[in-house]
């Protein structure tokens, strides 16, 4: 398993006045932010669940082989580890913090979906990819918000499904 991300923590030794950055790939693996076998691009650092701790949402691209590696939201456990929240995982290159529900607070994450199915010249995706990718059509938008009662991100935008004929179906055109 390839470990793509690096993670550095600020640590002070006794007597130091400045923190030193320590870590690397092993620290990323130990914290649960390794982005194993993904095509990582960047990370959104945010407080997604509004608990005062910084969480991360790694952004990655689809691979050209048979690995399905969308990156999930990683919530900070407060002990230098992070938990995967698979309810929010996407292939994207753009994510915005916005006030999508109009309550006066920018607490929603708008994801502009990138390609999920790879270029056909690389061959057909395995069947395991179809369930995930069919609900995340390219060039659609998803809006997520953290639900405190459920302790997870919820999708608050309409859901999309891609048919066999590649037509996008939404609640408005079904």
């Amino acid at each position: 398993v390839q470990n793509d991300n690096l993670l550095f923590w600020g640590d002070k030794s006794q007597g130091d006045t400045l923190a030193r950055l320590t870590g690397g790939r092993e620290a990323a693996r130990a914290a649960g932010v390794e982005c194993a076998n993904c095509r990582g691009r960047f990370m959104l650092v945010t407080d997604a669940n509004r608990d005062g701790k910084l969480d991360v949402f790694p952004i990655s691209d689809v691979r050209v082989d048979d690995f399905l590696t969308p990156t999930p939201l990683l919530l900070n456990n407060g002990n230098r580890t992070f938990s995967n929240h698979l309810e929010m995982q996407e292939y994207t290159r753009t994510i915005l913090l916005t006030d999508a529900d109009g309550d006066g607070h920018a607490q929603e994450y708008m994801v502009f979906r990138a390609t999920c199915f790879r270029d056909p010249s690389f061959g057909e995706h395995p069947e395991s990819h179809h369930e995930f990718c069919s609900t995340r059509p390219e060039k659609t938008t998803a809006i997520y918000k953290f639900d405190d009662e459920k302790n997870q991100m919820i999708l608050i935008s309409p859901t999309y499904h891609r048919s066999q004929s590649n037509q996008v179906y939404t609640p408005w055109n079904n």
Side-chain angles (χ1 to χ4, degrees):
V1 173
Q2 183 179 341
N3 188 31
D4 297 329
N5 283 342
L6 301 170
L7 177 66
F8 294 93
W9 300 106
D11 282 325
K12 279 188 177 181
S13 296
Q14 192 164 355
D16 286 346
T17 55
L18 298 174
R20 285 184 286 159
L21 293 177
T22 60
R25 284 192 169 89
E26 289 300 320
R29 189 176 296 116
V33 298
E34 67 272 10
C35 198
N37 291 313
C38 75
R39 290 189 61 206
R41 296 294 182 198
F42 63 94
M43 286 193 181
L44 172 68
V45 178
T46 184
D47 184 7
N49 59 352
R50 302 178 304 280
D51 66 353
K53 297 180 282 246
L54 291 177
D55 309 309
V56 293
F57 184 58
I59 307 302
S60 64
D61 277 341
V62 68
R63 294 172 55 110
V64 296
D65 57 21
D66 291 343
F67 288 104
L68 181 65
T69 58
T71 46
L73 172 68
L74 303 168
L75 294 182
N76 190 332
N77 297 322
N79 60 358
R80 292 193 173 189
T81 65
F82 293 79
S83 297
N84 288 333
H85 278 255
L86 301 177
E87 68 276 0
M88 183 179 177
Q89 58 180 339
E90 298 280 350
Y91 288 119
T92 183
R93 290 193 184 154
T94 307
I95 184 168
L96 303 172
L97 184 61
T98 186
D99 180 16
D101 63 5
D103 68 357
H105 303 283
Q107 298 175 337
E108 294 81 39
Y109 296 87
M110 184 180 294
V111 176
F112 298 92
R113 291 178 169 142
T115 301
C116 189
F117 288 115
R118 67 177 176 231
D119 186 305
S121 66
F122 291 105
E124 190 63 31
H125 272 296
E127 192 62 35
S128 60
H129 288 53
H130 290 279
E131 182 178 343
F132 180 83
C133 292
S134 67
T135 61
R136 291 162 174 83
E138 181 179 0
K139 298 181 183 171
T140 59
T141 302
I143 302 174
Y144 291 91
K145 183 174 185 172
F146 194 81
D147 184 311
D148 293 315
E149 290 179 16
K150 294 180 179 179
N151 193 36
Q152 69 179 33
M153 286 297 226
I154 57 170
L155 184 66
I156 63 171
S157 59
T159 57
Y160 299 88
H161 298 279
R162 189 162 303 277
S163 71
Q164 297 272 20
S165 64
N166 237 8
Q167 180 178 352
V168 175
Y169 287 95
T170 69
W172 301 291
N173 68 5
N174 256 348

